[in-house]
Amino acid sequence: MTASNTILTDGFGRKHNYLRISLLEKCNLRCTYCMPADGITLSPKASLMTAEEIFAIAQTFVKNGVDKIRLTGGEPLLRKDFPEIVSKLADLNVSLSITTNGILIDRHIEVLKQFNVKKINLSLDTLVASKFHTITLRNQFEKVIDNLHLLLNNDFQVKVNVVLMKGFNDNEIVDFVKLTQFLPISVRFIEFMPFAGNEWDRSKMVSQQEILALVGTRFSSEEILKLEDEKNFTSRNYKIKGFQGDFGIISSITNPFCDSCNRIRLTADGKIKNCLFSNSETDLLTVFRNGESITDLISESILSKKKVRAGMVTMDEMDDPKKHFDNRSMIAIGG
């Protein structure tokens, strides 16, 4: 290990080369698992990172070993200066990707092509238009589907993120897997996770074991092929024999992948979170605006990272709302 990337190595030897930057807290959907029913208090615009600050802070991370950056929100494509941000980050010679709800993809597809942002995570929790409105409170289902096909027709690498909730969309698991027969997509089933205001409880969650059991009701064990997991995987991946695409399971609750975690999150107001589940944050933006170095703060945040889920090791701890009620809502963290 070189001296230049030691600040991104935590106390358990995990090297963090993947930075997820939230560009804003606003979204044009209202997904219940992401945003509290009564919304959130948005940070004042003056407290959000500017395009120049995003670039400069990201540059510090890149100098210390980050080689992958994902832009998230809220909905990142709502930022009016999104093209400027992407053009700046493209100069850092890193792998750039975004997570989006897909509604505005058609407006920005040329920008994405120009700056080689080819990896797109598209959030889509149902294949039924009426249920889409139920979960998002918006009538944008057809637009999302159209833009999904637009991305595929333009050779983007698309992962479809599906947050599963028992009694709502768990009966669509097989339908999502069937999509991969003719579409070169990766469907990723995500266990429902606890955040402020989303009324999480374990009974709403669909576990990795349950997902595989439901897939097994339609496909035989010989048809369900286990794929090799990536080095720093979040998703345990599978493929139906002969299908173009594949599917995976992100089991942060029932089967976490903390041992190989390489991710850092930077919120839209310039605070670093060393774990999605952590309510602890380190303010980089204020120090940066004061003209001071943020390197030591980054190092301290990484070194304070817990071994598993911000210290919530057992399911009893996950069930305790006191452990995560004061974390941000997902929309204010970034997907």
Side-chain angles (χ1 to χ4, degrees), residues 173-174 177 189 209-220 224 238 240 247 249:
I173 289 172
V174 169
V177 172
F189 299 114
Q209 184 178 6
E210 291 171 309
I211 294 167
L212 289 174
L214 285 166
V215 175
T217 64
R218 171 61 180 81
F219 302 99
S220 69
I224 304 171
Y238 301 81
I240 304 301
F247 70 96
I249 302 169

Side-chain angles (χ1 to χ4, degrees), residues 71-192:
L71 302 178
T72 70
E75 171 49 49
L77 298 182
L78 284 174
R79 277 276 300 232
K80 293 180 180 179
D81 57 354
F82 177 79
E84 179 186 356
I85 293 169
V86 173
S87 68
K88 289 178 179 295
L89 294 177
D91 288 336
L92 293 177
N93 193 31
V94 297
S95 172
L96 272 180
S97 57
I98 68 166
T99 296
T100 174
N101 59 35
I103 294 172
L104 300 176
I105 281 290
D106 53 314
R107 299 186 191 178
H108 294 279
I109 194 161
E110 294 305 322
V111 170
L112 298 174
K113 287 181 182 179
Q114 180 181 354
F115 296 107
N116 200 33
V117 185
K118 301 295 288 184
K119 296 180 179 180
I120 313 293
N121 283 13
L122 190 148
S123 300
L124 179 64
D125 301 312
T126 178
L127 299 173
V128 181
S130 59
K131 288 167 70 172
F132 183 93
H133 181 270
T134 297
I135 193 69
T136 67
L137 305 182
R138 299 291 185 271
N139 290 313
Q140 295 284 0
F141 177 75
E142 296 297 336
K143 187 64 178 294
V144 174
I145 295 299
D146 288 346
N147 278 338
L148 168 61
H149 287 286
L150 178 66
L151 287 169
L152 295 176
N153 291 337
N154 283 274
D155 298 321
F156 284 83
Q157 300 174 43
V158 180
K159 294 179 179 177
V160 175
N161 288 344
V162 185
V163 176
L164 290 175
M165 288 159 284
K166 194 164 289 183
F168 176 72
N169 59 353
D170 52 331
N171 63 340
E172 295 186 67
I173 289 172
V174 169
D175 292 331
F176 272 105
V177 172
K178 286 180 179 178
L179 271 187
T180 69
Q181 181 172 3
F182 301 111
L183 297 180
I185 60 175
S186 294
V187 173
R188 307 196 311 169
F189 299 114
I190 303 173
E191 290 181 344
F192 184 36

Side-chain angles (χ1 to χ4, degrees), residues 12 202 252-256 258 277 306-320 323-324:
F12 303 96
R202 203 194 309 186
S252 303
I253 306 298
T254 65
N255 194 8
C258 303
F277 291 103
K306 304 292 185 180
K307 186 175 182 179
V308 178
R309 288 182 309 215
M312 291 182 284
V313 178
T314 67
M315 285 304 297
D316 286 341
E317 289 174 306
M318 292 299 300
D319 286 337
D320 184 357
K323 297 287 186 180
H324 44 71

Side-chain angles (χ1 to χ4, degrees), residues 292-308:
E292 302 170 35
S293 172
I294 60 174
T295 302
D296 287 345
L297 289 175
I298 295 171
S299 179
E300 291 168 10
S301 176
I302 297 298
L303 284 174
S304 68
K305 184 169 183 172
K306 304 292 185 180
K307 186 175 182 179
V308 178

